[in-house]
């Protein structure tokens, strides 16, 4: 029996042989125990090679895989929840009416609370503003009073100074007048004395 | 690759690395039989790729260029190991296999350690000569067609076929005792070893 060349078996074993070639080799295997044994051995060896797997890099496996697993688990739980909810839910119309009423009540209560809060806030704001204005007014008034008082004191002091100055001047004038009067009297007395003496001599 | 070649575009190169690092790491790991060395050789292969980017001809497929660079990095490492082993043990080159090449046939850090069948496969592959191991790894583990392997190795397709036949024959001889042993102690291919 003529056996095929060994290298003809390689494409056949890996499924790359053309169809006609593959049929020819298969036919030979059916009739040749020697070749069939050898090729079966090759195929067992190839199968055994699969046991040596090289893992992906640790970084990619440790980070991505758990995240993916958790995502899948979360999706499954969510889907189960939705399905359960749909199965146990009341009719859509009743649910809608109930939800609508509930939402209206809740909205009204919320609105009232919001209004009350706004009013209280405004009142508090007005009171606070008034207090501030009063405080400002008081401060301004006090400042004006102080300024007036200081101006008054300054004016009085000025008047006093002027009066004193005038008094000094008057006194000086009086003293000058008194001195001049005294001198006039002395001169008159002297003149009278001289006249008297002249009359006596005559 | 063209952007890397013409503009030294680092982001384009990062994309290439991201796309190809896993296949290249697997190839290198299986060619040298060690996961740590495989990782180092992957880095070496991409460093060489960047250094040789100007040599890439756009007429050829990029993957062919990259597989070739990675394989050359593996061959260089295997030769380094062989030289070290020869100088240490003063042993001549073995005609076949890695018995005299100093590759860690009993590597305790092997990524196949812990799974008996995987370890047997790893050791059997390491005993095959490089040229046979190369065609087996590229075809069986990386799923490349025989024609593509011929293109990468720059040899005729018929040569790839004959190397593949020889590789399968040798591998079967190495693994055959396992086929005849009772299956009790041997873990069946229940699950692929993940290391």
């Amino acid at each position: 029996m003529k056996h095929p060349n060994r290298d003809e078996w390689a494409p056949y074993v890996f499924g790359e042989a053309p169809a006609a070639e593959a049929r020819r080799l298969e036919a030979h295997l059916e009739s040749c125990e020697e070749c069939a044994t050898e090729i079966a051995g090759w195929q067992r060896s190839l199968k055994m090679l699969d046991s040596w797997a090289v893992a992906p890099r640790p970084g990619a496996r440790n980070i991505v895989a758990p995240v993916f697993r958790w995502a899948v688990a979360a999706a499954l739980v969510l889907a189960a929840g939705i399905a359960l909810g749909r199965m146990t839910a009341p009719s859509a119309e009743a649910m809608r009416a109930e939800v609508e009423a509930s939402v209206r009540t809740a909205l009204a209560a919320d609105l009232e609370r919001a209004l009350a809060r706004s009013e209280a806030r405004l009142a508090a704001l007005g009171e606070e503003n008034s207090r501030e204005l009063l405080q400002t007014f008081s401060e301004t008034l006090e400042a004006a009073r102080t300024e007036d008082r200081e101006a008054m004191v300054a004016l009085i002091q000025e008047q006093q100074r002027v009066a004193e100055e005038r008094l000094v001047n008057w006194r000086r004038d009086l003293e000058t007048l008194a001195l001049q009067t005294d001198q006039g009297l002395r001169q008159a007395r002297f003149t009278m004395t001289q006249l008297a003496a002249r009359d006596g001599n005559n | 690759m063209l952007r890397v070649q013409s503009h030294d575009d680092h982001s384009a190169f990062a994309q290439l690395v991201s796309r190809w690092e896993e296949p290249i790491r697997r190839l290198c790991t299986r060619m040298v039989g060690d996961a740590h060395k495989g990782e180092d050789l992957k880095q070496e292969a991409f460093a060489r790729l960047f250094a040789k980017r100007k040599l890439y001809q756009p007429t050829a497929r990029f993957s062919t260029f990259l597989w070739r660079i990675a394989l050359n990095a593996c061959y260089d490492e295997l030769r380094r190991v062989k030289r070290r082993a020869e100088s240490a043990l003063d042993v001549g080159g073995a005609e076949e296999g890695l018995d005299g090449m100093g590759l860690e046939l009993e590597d305790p850090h092997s990524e196949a350690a812990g799974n008996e069948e995987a370890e047997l496969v790893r050791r059997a592959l390491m005993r095959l000569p490089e040229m046979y191991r190369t065609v087996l790894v590229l075809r069986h583990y990386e799923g490349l067609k025989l024609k593509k392997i011929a293109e990468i190795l720059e040899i005729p397709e018929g040569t790839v076929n004959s190397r593949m036949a020889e590789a399968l024959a040798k591998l079967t001889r190495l693994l055959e005792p396992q086929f005849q042993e009772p299956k009790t102690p041997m873990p069946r291919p229940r699950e692929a070893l993940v290391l």
Side-chain angles (χ1 to χ4, degrees), chain B residues 80-103:
Chain B
R80 257 196 306 273
V81 172
K82 184 180 179 181
R83 273 199 301 273
R84 268 205 301 271
E86 283 175 350
S87 61
L89 303 172
D90 196 24
V91 175
E95 184 185 326
E96 173 183 314
L98 302 173
D99 290 339
M101 290 178 65
L103 276 177

Side-chain angles (χ1 to χ4, degrees), chain B residues 45-193:
Chain B
F46 282 109
R48 288 187 187 188
L49 172 68
F50 194 77
K52 293 182 175 180
R53 64 195 182 281
K54 304 287 182 195
L55 300 178
Y56 170 64
Q57 299 291 328
T59 50
R61 290 189 65 177
F62 167 72
S63 57
T64 305
F65 185 65
L66 179 56
W67 286 122
R68 207 175 282 159
I69 286 176
L71 279 172
N72 284 332
C74 294
Y75 295 153
D76 290 346
E77 170 63 18
L78 292 169
R79 281 188 204 105
R80 257 196 306 273
V81 172
K82 184 180 179 181
R83 273 199 301 273
R84 268 205 301 271
E86 283 175 350
S87 61
L89 303 172
D90 196 24
V91 175
E95 184 185 326
E96 173 183 314
L98 302 173
D99 290 339
M101 290 178 65
L103 276 177
E104 299 104 339
L105 293 179
E106 301 288 345
D107 180 11
H109 305 297
S110 158
E111 58 174 12
N115 180 314
E116 194 181 347
E117 190 168 316
E119 179 59 19
L120 282 169
V121 166
R122 187 192 73 84
R123 291 174 64 178
L125 275 174
M126 290 302 104
R127 294 176 74 90
L128 290 181
E130 287 169 18
M131 63 177 180
Y132 298 141
R133 193 176 339 136
T134 303
V135 291
L136 256 183
V137 169
L138 287 175
R139 181 63 191 85
H140 184 75
Y141 289 114
E142 296 308 322
L144 302 185
K145 298 284 184 195
L146 296 167
K147 187 178 176 185
K148 171 80 174 177
I149 295 171
E151 191 185 324
I152 292 168
L153 301 179
E154 297 178 285
I155 55 176
E157 196 175 340
T159 307
V160 173
N161 292 345
S162 59
R163 284 187 188 180
M164 183 64 83
E166 192 59 29
L168 286 168
K170 287 180 184 298
L171 183 71
T172 304
R173 276 202 295 278
L174 289 167
L175 295 175
E176 212 160 28
Q178 294 304 317
F179 304 152
Q180 290 151 7
E181 274 184 10
K183 288 288 178 183
T184 40
M186 174 66 66
R188 281 194 348 99
R190 54 189 189 266
E191 56 180 2
L193 176 67

Side-chain angles (χ1 to χ4, degrees), chain B residues 7-28:
Chain B
H7 297 93
D8 287 351
D9 187 335
H10 287 260
S11 66
F13 187 69
Q15 282 178 9
L16 276 181
V17 173
S18 172
R19 159 70 182 84
W20 284 99
E21 65 179 334
E22 278 303 294
I24 296 301
R25 189 178 67 89
R26 286 197 305 264
L27 171 78
C28 296

